[in-house]
Amino acid sequence: MKKVVKFGGSSLASADQFRKVGNIIHEDPYRRYVIPSAPGKRHSKDTKVTDLLYRCYDTVCAGRNYHEDLFAIKSRYQEIIRGLNLELDLSGEFDKMEQRFLDRAGRDYAASRGEYLNGMVLAAYLGYDFVDSAEVICFTEDGEFDAERTNRVLSARLMQSERAVVPGFYGAMPDGTIKTFSRGGSDITGAIVARAVQASIYENWTDVSGFLLTDPHIVKDPVVIRTITYKELRELSYMGASVLHDESIFPVRKAGIPINIRNTNAPDEPGTMIVKTTGVKSPYTITGIAGKKGFVAINIEKDRMNSEIGFGRKVLEAFEHFGISFEHMPSGIDTLSVFVSEESFAPQEQAVLAMINRNCQPDIITIDTDLALIAVVGRSMKDARGTAGRVFASLAHARINVRMIDQGSDEENIVIGVKNDDFESAIRAIYQIFVDARI
Ligand code: ASP
């Protein structure tokens, strides 16, 4: 059995955190492949090493004095090395890095050093092999991640290592130029490694005890979701919930490997299992609630719209033409609304409306602004009677006016449109009825 374990920046921010990580790894001999992030924040006012690296590199490029930033970066590693009583000397690596900065090796190179150096420290601490991701995580000449090539190269390489540390976040293009994923991308590396070694599980260790049923800024201490499917997770993350990098589920989903979100600071808690399919029912009928503010509805009315073939297409063409992605399109007999994000629509409002007028000759167009969308997601919903009834009863009791309703064809989510001002109370009302009251 092989387990792939990824540790986030806060899990590796200090020597104390490294010790917790070491205990977690040594406790289970199957935890053979380890993906570290760069050292993160030690406290809320601290700066992540990745941000220090970006700043230092930008300072070098601006021709200003970068020594203070460089010193801060080196100190973070030295503090960890000293705290762990390691024999490791990184001064050669620091010199090389400084020289490459002066040679303008690129912002991606600069940022990648956070994970690279942390990987070296962790490998030395654990007594594991160190595998430089530049040799095994492949990007194309255009800077696109090359999934299949990576899978081949990486699995062949890891076959030769019983236990290894593979730094997160970066890889290299065919000419050796370092390329990073987007921010938070060590999660993606972890998933790629899990696929390559055909791991039985991908453990993602962070500083929360799993994926919360809803946003803790809105509901105080929401319960942790114990089991969630990839599909439900996609729905919730699309609507703003975050714990994992969005892109990280694809490699493991394809290979059918579950992800377990765990807390380095509370290792006895089971965390959240993210799985492909499960017979485990969610205890509250719903699995999660997430949402976003800042949408607009463009409402279009035209007599006999129902018999005008191609009307919907012509409306959507106007949005497509201006590169605006639509979220929902509820319709009546002679009415149709398109929900889009305010941010993408506002700058092009009049151009889009003019095109709709030209294409479709509607009778009336009105616009509702300041709308929020809330997704209530749950695989158990389709077999449960009255889920929608409970959602809307809770909103009615909270005196919230529902502006839009949409249910996905898989019956795993209900999306509700409300005014921005009602957003928080709507989420609290739905949480209350399903979780607190458990009706
Ligand atoms: N260190 C990188 C970042 O801060 C990548 C990661 O932590 O996943 O975004």
Side-chain angles (χ1 to χ4, degrees), residues 367-395:
I367 296 180
D368 285 331
T369 56
D370 303 321
L371 296 174
L373 293 175
I374 298 171
V376 183
V377 175
R379 61 188 178 279
S380 308
M381 275 182 354
K382 60 176 174 293
D383 301 319
R385 221 174 334 119
T387 312
R390 276 177 283 167
V391 170
F392 295 112
S394 70
L395 296 174

Side-chain angles (χ1 to χ4, degrees), residues 6-10 36-40 48-51 54 111 114-115 168-170 180-189 245:
K6 180 257 165 182
F7 289 89
S10 60
S37 279
K48 288 173 155 198
V49 165
T50 310
D51 292 313
Y54 279 126
E115 274 65 13
F169 193 37
Y170 72 94
T180 62
F181 294 109
S182 54
R183 293 300 304 263
S186 298
D187 285 341
I188 310 177
T189 312
H245 192 295

Side-chain angles (χ1 to χ4, degrees), residues 60-130:
V60 170
C61 291
R64 293 200 309 269
N65 185 349
Y66 58 87
H67 290 98
E68 198 179 314
D69 285 338
L70 189 63
F71 179 77
I73 296 163
K74 292 181 187 174
S75 308
R76 290 293 307 267
Y77 291 101
Q78 269 150 357
E79 187 186 297
I80 296 170
I81 293 170
R82 228 177 298 119
L84 296 172
N85 291 321
L86 293 177
E87 288 294 316
L88 187 65
D89 177 8
L90 287 182
S91 48
E93 291 293 340
F94 290 144
D95 291 346
K96 201 155 58 183
M97 177 175 91
E98 183 176 355
Q99 190 51 51
R100 299 276 286 133
F101 277 26
L102 293 167
D103 296 342
R104 309 285 196 269
R107 283 191 107 223
D108 281 17
Y109 169 81
S112 75
R113 294 308 87 184
E115 274 65 13
Y116 172 82
L117 296 168
N118 222 22
M120 287 196 157
V121 178
L122 188 59
Y125 179 55
L126 296 172
Y128 278 29
D129 297 339
F130 173 78

Side-chain angles (χ1 to χ4, degrees), residues 25 42 97 122 141 146 169 177 181 209 217 247 255 257 338 364 370 381 410 419:
I25 292 172
R42 291 160 293 187
M97 177 175 91
L122 188 59
E141 279 154 25
D146 190 339
F169 193 37
T177 308
F181 294 109
S209 288
H217 302 106
E247 295 292 315
I257 300 167
V338 182
I364 306 171
D370 303 321
M381 275 182 354
D410 53 11
K419 274 296 207 189

Side-chain angles (χ1 to χ4, degrees), residues 355-370:
M355 190 159 176
I356 297 175
N357 276 315
R358 261 198 321 276
N359 279 3
C360 317
Q361 284 98 42
D363 297 332
I364 306 171
I365 303 185
T366 57
I367 296 180
D368 285 331
T369 56
D370 303 321

Side-chain angles (χ1 to χ4, degrees), residues 304-325:
R304 289 193 215 80
M305 181 191 289
N306 65 324
S307 55
E308 194 177 323
I309 292 172
F311 192 87
R313 178 183 52 76
K314 284 187 252 169
V315 169
L316 290 182
E317 217 168 59
F319 291 92
E320 183 182 355
H321 184 80
F322 291 98
I324 301 170
S325 146

